Amino acid sequence: MVHVSVIGCGHMGGALVRGLSAAGHRVTACDVDESVLEDLSGVADETTTDLEAAASAPIVVLAVGPDAAGEVLADLELDPDQTVVSVAAGVSTSMLESTTDAAVIRMMPNLAAEYGEMAAAVTPEPTGDVATVLDDLGTVVTIDEDRMDLATAINGSGPAFVFYLIGAMQQAGIEGGLDSDDAAALAAQTFKGAAEIVLQSDESVEELVDAVATEGGTTIEGMEVLWDSDVEDVLGETVAVTEERSAEITAEIGDE
């Protein structure tokens, strides 16, 4: 069990609090909004509006907005033997390091941290208790700093894109006569199961498609529609504009 403070308990911070607690860690939740803390009172070991109280943990997760990250971090007065894990989009490692004496890890997670299924990109590579804590939240990939905007687009914003696709499949089921809840369950579990196959299999995505889309079967008829469409271009553009916006935020923060 590791003591972790989470400062900023909105959607992402709250997901981290719940995931850390479920993994058995001691969690202090800190936020200026007491109603947010009330929602976490049965989850976190401690809730507080006091930054000083949150600053005592060996690992401090900074889950505030990018415009507030520098100011909040400066107020924490952390020691070199502590580690800050920042999930503030667009705030560079160098900027964070110039604001605190603590070790710095920059991370782009997603909301699945609540269920221990997070996909997260980090820089630099975490070690020791920090690595243990992050691994308990899901899959962690170490990347170079200059790829963090791309990671923001793929795994940070990516869940929204997947939600949209699940919703589209659900709607197709409803229009075909399925109950809404049944269609949602089938669509969501199909995405979940397919993702697990990609993670567990040694075959490429293309090989997995071929394994399902056998000649003369049902799947290949649907795949022909996808292959003839511009869906790959649309998804590529979706990621590209998201990455571009992340880079803009990074530049805006750097200019302040």
Side-chain angles (χ1 to χ4, degrees), residues 165-234:
L165 295 172
I166 291 173
M169 286 188 67
Q170 176 191 11
Q171 187 59 36
I174 293 170
E175 291 176 0
L178 287 177
D179 172 80
S180 178
D181 290 343
D182 291 343
L186 289 172
Q189 184 60 42
T190 296
F191 269 76
K192 181 180 179 181
E196 192 62 32
I197 292 171
V198 171
L199 292 172
Q200 298 292 339
S201 176
D202 292 331
E203 294 183 286
S204 68
V205 171
E206 292 78 11
E207 289 171 330
L208 292 172
V209 169
D210 289 342
V212 183
T214 54
E215 191 69 33
T218 60
T219 306
I220 198 166
E221 293 299 317
M223 286 306 306
E224 292 289 355
V225 174
L226 288 174
W227 286 326
D228 290 341
S229 74
D230 60 354
V231 65
E232 288 190 20
D233 292 336
V234 170

Side-chain angles (χ1 to χ4, degrees), residues 29-53:
C30 179
D31 200 286
V32 295
D33 188 341
E34 293 188 0
S35 65
V36 170
L37 296 179
E38 287 176 7
D39 291 339
L40 296 172
S41 61
V43 179
D45 297 275
E46 177 187 9
T47 60
T48 182
T49 59
D50 183 8
L51 274 178
E52 186 175 346

Side-chain angles (χ1 to χ4, degrees), residues 71-86:
E71 181 179 352
V72 172
L73 187 55
D75 288 341
L76 286 174
E77 299 182 1
L78 301 177
D79 298 326
D81 59 349
Q82 293 175 279
T83 299
V84 171
V85 179
S86 172

Side-chain angles (χ1 to χ4, degrees), residues 98-178:
S98 70
T99 313
T100 182
D101 291 330
V104 169
I105 297 289
R106 183 181 173 190
M107 177 170 75
M108 178 48 62
N110 58 35
L111 292 176
E114 179 171 349
Y115 307 103
E117 296 290 346
M118 171 185 80
V122 300
T123 187
E125 184 175 5
T127 59
D129 285 345
V130 179
T132 298
V133 166
L134 298 186
D135 284 343
D136 284 342
L137 293 172
T139 297
V140 179
V141 176
T142 302
I143 65 173
D144 292 335
E145 176 88 15
D146 61 3
R147 293 292 180 266
M148 193 60 78
D149 292 325
L150 179 56
T152 299
I154 292 175
N155 68 279
S157 300
F161 311 149
V162 175
F163 297 154
Y164 179 89
L165 295 172
I166 291 173
M169 286 188 67
Q170 176 191 11
Q171 187 59 36
I174 293 170
E175 291 176 0
L178 287 177

